[in-house]
């Protein structure tokens, strides 16, 4: 944090120390004297994550990119870190790009969702709409693989798509999901474009309609 602030114009060490203390306050760290004297290995994962976030906001960014910010934290730290990030976003009028595999977290903390497969955007739109009526088969499969409490209690197997994500060096011809997609047909050997509606975009030749039926060209035409 000290080095970042030095590079970005906080000239004296006194100025920098004051700013570091303010930033630690912002991320909810109170025993600052002790923390500032500690090595990273002496601190808990939750405190380390708070310090990383303090460093990331030290130059007052308009946009913060948080890549899996709660991975490897216990549940209580996860909740605290996400509540703190939400508070920082509100207080600083800052935008947040949250990168995560956790649908529960994304549904609670985001307004817009963009899903990617093999480095391509496959679906994007308002979080609520996308989760309630996914249009891409991969989004639908991801949502189906989130176990419910009932599934856990009854030890139900998690539904998954066949196969696994291909190597980026050996991508399938046409749609990248083709070999794994339950809805694939001959047209899918051509790369699907990202079709854009006003708010909900999808990359699929046969997007799922809201009644969870596949829209084939013949159906659309009739
Ligand atoms: S384009 Fe075809 S293979 Fe790709 S997701 Fe859509 S239906 Fe499946």
């Amino acid at each position: 944090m000290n080095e970042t602030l030095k590079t970005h114009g906080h000239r004296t060490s006194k100025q920098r120390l004051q700013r570091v203390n303010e930033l630690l306050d912002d991320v909810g760290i109170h025993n600052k004297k002790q923390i500032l004297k500690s090595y990273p290995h002496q601190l808990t994962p939750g405190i380390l994550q708070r310090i990383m976030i303090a460093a990331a906001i030290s130059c007052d960014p308009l946009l913060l990119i948080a890549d899996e910010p709660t991975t490897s934290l216990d549940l209580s730290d996860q909740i605290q870190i996400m509540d703190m990030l939400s508070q920082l976003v509100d207080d600083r009028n800052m935008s947040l790009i949250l990168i995560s595999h956790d649908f529960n977290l994304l549904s609670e903390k985001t307004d817009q969702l963009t899903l990617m497969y093999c480095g391509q955007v496959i679906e994007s739109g308002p979080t609520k709409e996308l989760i309630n009526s996914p249009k891409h088969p991969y989004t639908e499969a991801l949502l189906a693989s989130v176990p419910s409490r009932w599934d856990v209690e009854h030890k139900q197997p998690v539904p998954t798509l066949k196969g696994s994500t291909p190597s980026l060096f050996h991508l399938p011809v046409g749609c990248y999901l083709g070999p794994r997609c339950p809805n694939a047909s001959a047209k899918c050997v051509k790369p699907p474009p990202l079709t854009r509606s006003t708010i909900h975009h999808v990359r699929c030749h046969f997007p799922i309609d809201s009644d969870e039926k596949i829209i084939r060209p013949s159906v659309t035409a009739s």
Side-chain angles (χ1 to χ4, degrees):
M1 289 166 79
N2 188 45
E3 285 170 12
T4 307
L5 292 169
K6 198 171 180 180
T7 306
H8 287 271
H10 289 70
R11 295 214 180 112
T12 68
S13 56
K14 194 175 165 199
Q15 272 182 338
R16 291 195 293 274
L17 184 61
Q18 187 185 338
R19 181 77 180 126
V20 166
N21 275 291
E22 287 167 8
L23 287 162
L24 292 181
D25 274 336
D26 286 352
V27 295
I29 290 178
H30 304 301
N31 51 341
K32 291 169 286 192
K33 272 193 180 158
Q34 181 62 36
I35 297 284
L36 288 171
K37 281 192 289 180
S38 304
Y39 288 101
H41 71 269
Q42 296 172 311
L43 302 174
T44 64
I47 294 286
L48 289 171
Q49 192 65 311
R50 284 171 190 269
I51 292 171
M52 288 303 296
I53 292 168
I57 60 170
S58 60
C59 294
D60 298 322
L62 294 174
L63 170 68
L64 181 67
I65 301 175
D67 190 353
E68 301 280 8
T70 56
T71 306
S72 77
L73 298 181
D74 64 32
L75 190 60
S76 136
D77 277 339
Q78 283 182 21
I79 294 167
Q80 286 180 21
I81 292 287
M82 284 317 303
D83 285 350
M84 183 199 72
L85 271 175
S86 300
Q87 191 65 47
L88 287 172
V89 164
D90 287 347
D91 292 349
R92 293 167 165 255
N93 204 16
M94 180 173 71
S95 297
L96 174 70
I97 292 181
L98 182 60
I99 301 169
S100 176
H101 290 86
D102 184 339
F103 259 116
N104 289 325
L105 179 69
L106 292 168
S107 66
E108 198 182 314
K109 296 292 179 189
T110 65
D111 304 315
Q112 291 283 324
L113 209 53
T114 295
L115 278 102
M116 299 184 76
Y117 183 74
C118 295
Q120 261 187 347
V121 170
I122 54 159
E123 186 162 6
S124 132
T127 302
K128 209 169 166 187
E129 181 178 317
L130 201 144
I131 286 179
N132 288 335
S133 51
K135 294 190 184 304
H136 195 281
Y138 188 64
T139 314
E140 191 186 44
L142 280 181
L143 286 164
S145 73
V146 178
S148 67
R149 195 171 164 177
W150 190 91
D151 292 333
V152 175
E153 280 171 4
H154 292 81
K155 299 195 168 113
Q156 291 300 301
V158 175
T160 54
L161 289 179
K162 63 182 178 184
S164 53
T165 312
S167 154
L168 292 183
F169 295 107
H170 300 101
L171 289 168
V173 175
C175 176
Y176 294 163
L177 189 66
R180 306 180 66 198
C181 179
N183 305 344
S185 76
K187 190 176 179 185
C188 304
V189 294
K190 288 194 176 163
L194 187 67
T195 49
R196 297 170 188 275
S197 71
T198 339
I199 50 169
H200 195 153
H201 314 317
V202 62
R203 188 187 298 279
C204 178
H205 290 305
F206 307 112
I208 300 161
D209 73 13
S210 50
D211 296 328
E212 301 197 4
K213 289 183 207 127
I214 302 164
I215 306 170
R216 305 270 175 194
S218 57
V219 177
T220 316
S222 60

